[in-house]
Amino acid sequence: MEQSPNAQHLQVLGWFIGTHGWGPLMVALVLIHMVQVFLFGAFKYPRELTWIVGVFLLLMTLGMAFTGQVLRFDQDAYWGLGIGASVYGRMPLIGPKLVHIMLGGPIIAGRRSRVLRHPCLIIPGMLLAFVGVHLLMVLKLGVNDGLCPGRVVKRQTYLKEISRADRKTACLFSLTRSAKTLCSAG
């Protein structure tokens, strides 16, 4: 099964289908970020929920990479879809139903509307919502200070300490910015 030249060269924005092969790069970047967060211990109190949302973002990124590969519908996509269907099919109780939902029938055929619904509507919407929640939580709780061996985070005093540290950082930033503005004006 070859990729249709009509899809990439004759359709409006058909070149965009070729960009869906870059999914593994995004997966690699998300994995590197997750490893960095884990090594810095940024998943600990009070950022546990931020970590869980990040894990869901990783899973959605994996879903986007898979469906983006299938969207190209060349030989790699055909066999990748077959392997994905085999994996889903082995799940107890719900496996055959998931395969039917994914393929739109019992076999891989030209009818791809169900496979395309997920990457075009469901997963990107969920991905944007979870990225928004993730960023709001990072803004609310701040970023980790990095590796500080022996430093204990106390649940009772954390919010007071972090707001004090934020004020110090804001004052230092304001002073630096003011000095830079005075030096450039003079």
Side-chain angles (χ1 to χ4, degrees), residues 40 144-152:
F40 277 46
N144 193 21
D145 296 335
L147 298 172
C148 298
R151 187 176 136 245
V152 178

Side-chain angles (χ1 to χ4, degrees), residues 17-150:
I17 293 173
T19 63
H20 286 82
W22 290 90
L25 177 64
M26 180 66 182
V27 172
L29 291 174
V30 171
L31 283 173
I32 289 169
H33 175 65
M34 295 287 284
V35 168
Q36 178 259 326
V37 168
F38 179 77
L39 291 177
F40 277 46
F43 60 90
K44 298 176 184 174
Y45 177 82
R47 298 175 188 89
E48 301 100 334
L49 191 58
T50 308
W51 172 260
I52 292 170
V53 170
V55 170
F56 281 120
L57 285 170
L58 171 65
L59 294 175
M60 284 184 267
T61 303
L62 290 171
M64 287 290 285
F66 176 72
T67 56
Q69 177 206 15
V70 171
L71 185 64
R72 295 180 301 161
F73 213 64
D74 56 2
Q75 275 298 107
D76 291 335
Y78 179 82
W79 291 108
L81 188 58
I83 291 169
S86 296
V87 170
Y88 273 174
R90 286 176 174 43
M91 292 176 72
L93 303 174
I94 61 170
K97 182 71 173 166
L98 285 176
V99 170
H100 187 71
I101 290 171
M102 183 170 87
L103 298 179
I107 61 170
I108 300 172
R111 218 178 118 199
R112 299 180 311 161
S113 63
R114 291 190 179 188
V115 175
L116 297 180
R117 183 178 0 173
H118 302 294
C120 294
L121 299 173
I122 297 170
I123 297 175
M126 288 175 54
L127 194 66
L128 286 173
F130 273 80
V131 165
V133 169
H134 191 71
L135 290 176
L136 280 173
M137 290 170 36
V138 168
L139 290 173
K140 172 82 173 138
L141 299 172
V143 295
N144 193 21
D145 296 335
L147 298 172
C148 298

